[in-house]
Amino acid sequence: MVSYSKETQTPADTQTHTQAKPGCCVCVRACVAEEEEEEEEMADPKPAEDSQEEKADEEEKQEEVLPKELTEEEKMHLLNSEEFMAFFDRGSRIVERALSERVDVCFDYSGRDLEDREGEMQAGAKMSLSRVFSDERWSKNRVVTCLDWSPQYPELLVASYNSNDDAPHEPDGVALVWNMKYKKTTPEYTFHCQSAVMSAAFARFHPNLIVGGTYSGQIVLWDNRSNKRTSVQRTPLSASAHTHPVYCVNVVGTENAHNLISISTDGKMCSWNLDMLSQPQDSLELVFKQSKAVAVTSMAFPLGDVNNFVVGSEDGSLYTACRHGSKAGISDVFDGHHGPVTGLSCHSAGGPVDFSHLFISASFDWTVKLWTTKSTRPLYLFEDSCDYVYDVMWSPTHPALFACVDGSGRLDLWNLNNDTEVPSASVVVDGSPALNRVRWAHSGREIATGDSDGQVLVYDVGEKICVPKADEWTRFVHTLVEINENRDEGDELAAQRLLA
Amino acid sequence: RFSAVFIFSPKQAEVEETLKRIQTHKGVIGTIVVNAEGIPIRTTLDNSTTVQYAGLLHQLTMKARSTVRDLDPQNDLTFLRIRSKKHEIMVAPDKEYLLIVIQNPSE
């Protein structure tokens, strides 16, 4: 930028040289160059002020090269000076007047600027973080291993945690009951046990009991009526019960006839009576083809079924099984995944059409697969994730909606009636911790997820996404038909390619 | 041995009160006071945000001031207001200091 300047350049040069920092040749050259530019720009008539400006500018340039901090004392000194008082008096006066002006000169009545915002607002309306539950003492440095919402009190959520490596004297297993209703940031109940808790559930027909499956194979029962933080009942650590980690616990049945089902990673399935945990009522070895024990990592019962269920194993295979009858044990094997199965969920949104034959599975192979119990080949493959998918769950109210979480901190909501290629809503948790578990609340409006840092995050899901309209079920029927057609086409093409 | 001496004159108290009043005004996200060298001396925001705002706005204010003076050498910058989609940044400049207030006007 060249402008006519009346000042001569030489005085500035000498000034620059005297003020330059010794031994800092680059700075001097830069300062001098900048200095000359600055001088040309400013056609200030007052020479005294001019030199002061130059000084300030040069100092500014020097500041840019060497950033300086002021000590508290220096700051206080500045803040107490006369010049500051005068400046502040004037400046704050103007600012306060400007702040009090509520006129938005940029307001657009056509609503066009809202369109830009709408994308943001929509995104905000999709999922918003409601609560974060974490306890300094009990949940820090532990991984959230399981989550369950209370069937009786929709505001209660139990989270189980594994061991804290940094605190060897603290109990290895912790289960905390969190309360959504109040703003209190501490857990409602704190329970612990000697072994890391891998799975936990509210005992469905006993509002006071919480069941935990541990790493040692022991199943513990906590009671919130007792004043103890330790379990009131424990299963024996013997061969009659479990000796391997128990990743799945579930209470199935009806009010009058229910059992606690537990499966450990050695394929042993036990069913218990909650009143007496000293020995299992029934036990079964889950083996495939009479030889291979199934290392069960996840289990799910279809809606309304107490006999047939689905299990996922460490080697990626999925099986259907049944508890009673002549064919008790593993029935069918599914094509499965390329890595351990981390989560299983059976369709549970009741409605005009029954989809209880559908289930979804998540695995370390970065995918989620949609299955039907009527076929061993997957119906659909969801491969939008770039990390291990740690858990998946159908919405309890919306027939075409499910959630999945992965190791990169992403919580995705898939609405199959909208799009089967990409999730309809997605959020990344702050800090991108690996998300280990996901659980929809019974209302289907909130979703909880537990991460590897011991935090439980509860998100509110926007109405547009989670509340099903009346025609969702029929739309899902069409979606499934399409999916089926695509699958058959895909299979035909694959078969043709093989023949060719 | 004194580690820090805080001279809390009545004028200082007034300054504090005014700063507090500005900060608690509806929609105000942050308030920063910057000295002539662009170094923040009072702030209600975290360190990295403050340093960013202070540096950038100091440069912008210098540029704005030089623009005004180029157009008319007897004129000077009195107030700078930057309205963006999300915020409004108000800068009250002075020879020595800058008072920066960031507000969300739609609140």
Side-chain angles (χ1 to χ4, degrees):
Chain A
M1 212 201 282
V2 180
S3 65
Y4 185 65
S5 166
K6 282 187 180 154
E7 282 79 29
T8 50
Q9 304 229 339
T10 22
D13 274 343
T14 49
Q15 213 168 33
T16 315
H17 282 305
T18 53
Q19 279 174 6
K21 286 212 166 92
C24 195
C25 308
V26 181
C27 297
V28 171
R29 259 182 257 127
C31 289
V32 170
E34 302 275 23
E35 192 46 42
E36 286 175 358
E37 248 185 70
E38 286 294 307
E39 222 204 7
E40 281 173 347
E41 280 172 33
M42 258 172 282
D44 202 295
K46 294 188 205 153
E49 255 192 43
D50 193 34
S51 61
Q52 202 181 43
E53 295 274 5
E54 282 173 18
K55 259 196 219 160
D57 286 329
E58 206 202 59
E59 270 172 2
E60 186 194 314
K61 295 299 175 287
Q62 280 184 357
E63 288 312 326
E64 278 167 15
V65 181
L66 304 152
K68 197 177 84 174
E69 284 243 335
L70 294 177
T71 63
E72 282 304 314
E73 267 187 59
E74 286 177 320
K75 287 185 188 175
M76 286 310 292
H77 186 71
L78 277 177
L79 289 172
N80 277 312
S81 60
E82 274 297 321
E83 299 95 36
F84 181 80
M85 294 295 170
F87 145 75
F88 193 75
D89 185 51
R90 217 177 34 242
S92 62
R93 195 186 300 267
I94 303 176
V95 163
E96 284 199 276
R97 283 187 204 147
L99 279 175
S100 309
E101 290 280 322
R102 310 266 259 119
V103 178
D104 182 2
V105 295
C106 301
F107 190 76
D108 188 347
Y109 286 98
S110 73
R112 236 170 322 182
D113 65 342
L114 284 174
E115 267 170 33
D116 285 331
R117 289 268 211 95
E118 223 175 70
E120 270 177 49
M121 290 199 305
Q122 287 265 13
K126 283 180 182 178
M127 271 197 282
S128 58
L129 183 60
S130 164
R131 295 293 290 274
V132 178
F133 291 119
S134 168
D135 187 88
E136 259 308 303
R137 185 171 173 206
W138 294 112
S139 70
K140 216 168 134 179
N141 280 326
R142 296 176 192 253
V143 176
V144 177
T145 50
C146 198
L147 289 171
D148 192 34
W149 291 88
S150 164
Q152 287 89 9
Y153 301 108
E155 65 269 19
L156 292 183
L157 170 66
V158 67
S160 61
Y161 304 82
N162 70 352
S163 51
N164 181 349
D165 292 326
D166 287 344
H169 301 296
E170 297 275 356
D172 277 351
V174 171
L176 302 175
V177 178
W178 298 98
N179 194 329
M180 287 284 298
K181 204 152 92 164
Y182 307 110
K183 297 232 182 354
K184 196 166 81 115
T185 53
T186 48
E188 195 69 38
Y189 295 105
T190 310
F191 298 117
H192 38 76
C193 64
Q194 287 314 313
S195 174
V197 186
M198 308 313 290
S199 52
F202 278 98
R204 219 154 41 127
F205 305 103
H206 298 258
N208 298 302
L209 302 180
I210 294 170
V211 184
T214 67
Y215 195 72
S216 61
Q218 233 181 9
I219 305 202
V220 293
L221 197 64
W222 290 288
D223 191 330
N224 66 6
R225 290 168 297 195
S226 80
N227 286 321
K228 301 192 296 170
R229 286 183 166 185
T230 50
S231 50
V232 293
Q233 276 199 70
R234 258 160 268 154
T235 62
L237 265 174
S238 70
S240 60
H242 297 288
T243 49
H244 279 69
V246 175
Y247 279 97
C248 327
V249 286
N250 205 354
V251 176
V252 292
T254 60
E255 176 89 43
N256 296 320
H258 56 265
N259 286 110
L260 168 66
I261 308 289
S262 61
I263 313 188
S264 55
T265 52
D266 60 351
K268 182 123 185 241
M269 183 179 96
C270 293
S271 88
W272 309 81
N273 185 334
L274 279 168
D275 297 324
M276 200 195 62
L277 288 183
S278 52
Q279 68 173 43
Q281 254 190 358
D282 209 357
S283 68
L284 182 59
E285 293 281 341
L286 292 170
V287 281
F288 181 55
K289 291 200 162 103
Q290 275 87 35
S291 55
K292 209 172 74 157
V294 177
V296 174
T297 50
S298 32
M299 155 183 92
F301 277 81
L303 188 67
D305 205 325
V306 297
N307 190 24
N308 301 297
F309 57 100
V310 192
V311 287
S313 77
E314 221 168 46
D315 62 7
S317 342
L318 288 164
Y319 306 91
T320 45
C322 58
R323 284 171 59 199
H324 309 295
S326 56
K327 284 201 179 161
I330 299 285
S331 325
D332 283 323
V333 62
F334 292 79
D335 285 351
H337 283 273
H338 298 296
V341 176
T342 49
L344 265 185
S345 176
C346 287
H347 196 276
S348 53
V353 186
D354 175 41
F355 295 114
S356 57
H357 59 98
L358 293 177
F359 64 97
I360 36 178
S361 60
S363 157
F364 271 23
D365 68 357
W366 297 10
T367 65
V368 172
K369 289 191 184 177
L370 172 66
W371 310 83
T372 168
T373 48
K374 303 175 192 166
S375 161
T376 56
R377 281 169 317 138
L379 275 181
Y380 201 83
L381 175 71
F382 301 96
E383 23 180 22
D384 190 63
S385 181
C386 303
D387 205 328
Y388 298 163
V389 184
Y390 280 106
D391 202 8
V392 70
M393 186 174 175
W394 284 108
S395 160
T397 51
H398 193 302
L401 185 64
F402 70 85
C404 65
V405 286
D406 71 4
S408 63
R410 250 175 58 176
L411 164 58
D412 292 331
L413 294 184
W414 295 77
N415 182 335
L416 300 176
N417 282 344
N418 275 1
D419 200 335
T420 54
E421 296 280 315
V422 286
S424 303
S426 182
V427 77
V428 179
V429 170
D430 245 0
S432 305
L435 298 177
N436 201 26
R437 283 298 208 169
V438 71
R439 271 288 166 278
W440 285 94
H442 295 299
S443 63
R445 303 288 300 266
E446 288 169 317
I447 191 161
T449 173
D451 70 15
S452 53
D453 295 328
Q455 283 190 319
V456 175
L457 302 109
V458 183
Y459 284 87
D460 280 327
V461 186
E463 267 187 40
K464 281 193 205 164
I465 312 259
C466 65
V467 177
K469 297 185 254 312
D471 64 343
E472 295 289 356
W473 280 260
T474 37
R475 277 178 68 194
F476 195 45
V477 174
H478 293 305
T479 312
L480 284 176
V481 167
E482 266 181 49
I483 289 177
N484 261 314
E485 280 173 4
N486 288 338
R487 183 177 73 140
D488 291 336
E489 262 180 43
D491 287 340
E492 265 184 47
L493 283 171
Q496 279 174 8
R497 257 182 259 129
L498 280 172
L499 292 171
Chain B
R1 223 183 180 275
F2 303 102
S3 50
V5 181
F6 291 111
I7 311 154
F8 225 72
S9 61
K11 279 217 148 183
Q12 181 63 20
E14 251 184 67
V15 168
E16 293 298 320
E17 209 189 290
T18 308
L19 275 174
K20 192 167 146 199
R21 203 170 53 234
I22 293 176
Q23 183 55 31
T24 52
H25 202 280
K26 193 162 183 244
V28 171
I29 299 166
T31 312
I32 310 172
V33 178
V34 179
N35 77 348
E37 292 155 4
I39 303 171
I41 50 178
R42 275 303 291 270
T43 177
T44 60
L45 299 167
D46 64 85
N47 198 37
S48 52
T49 315
T50 302
V51 167
Q52 202 182 19
Y53 269 100
L56 292 168
L57 288 168
H58 184 255
Q59 286 178 36
L60 184 63
T61 311
M62 293 299 124
K63 189 66 181 170
R65 177 180 280 143
S66 69
T67 306
V68 168
R69 286 168 113 183
D70 274 4
L71 292 171
D72 178 358
Q74 285 170 333
N75 205 353
D76 196 3
L77 181 69
T78 51
F79 194 60
L80 185 61
R81 222 167 165 176
I82 305 159
R83 182 75 154 87
S84 67
K85 276 203 275 194
K86 296 183 190 173
H87 307 128
E88 173 149 13
I89 306 173
M90 285 172 267
V91 182
D94 176 86
K95 235 169 47 178
E96 298 273 316
Y97 304 94
L98 290 182
L99 172 61
I100 302 168
V101 177
I102 305 133
Q103 185 195 28
N104 183 346
S106 56
E107 272 182 44

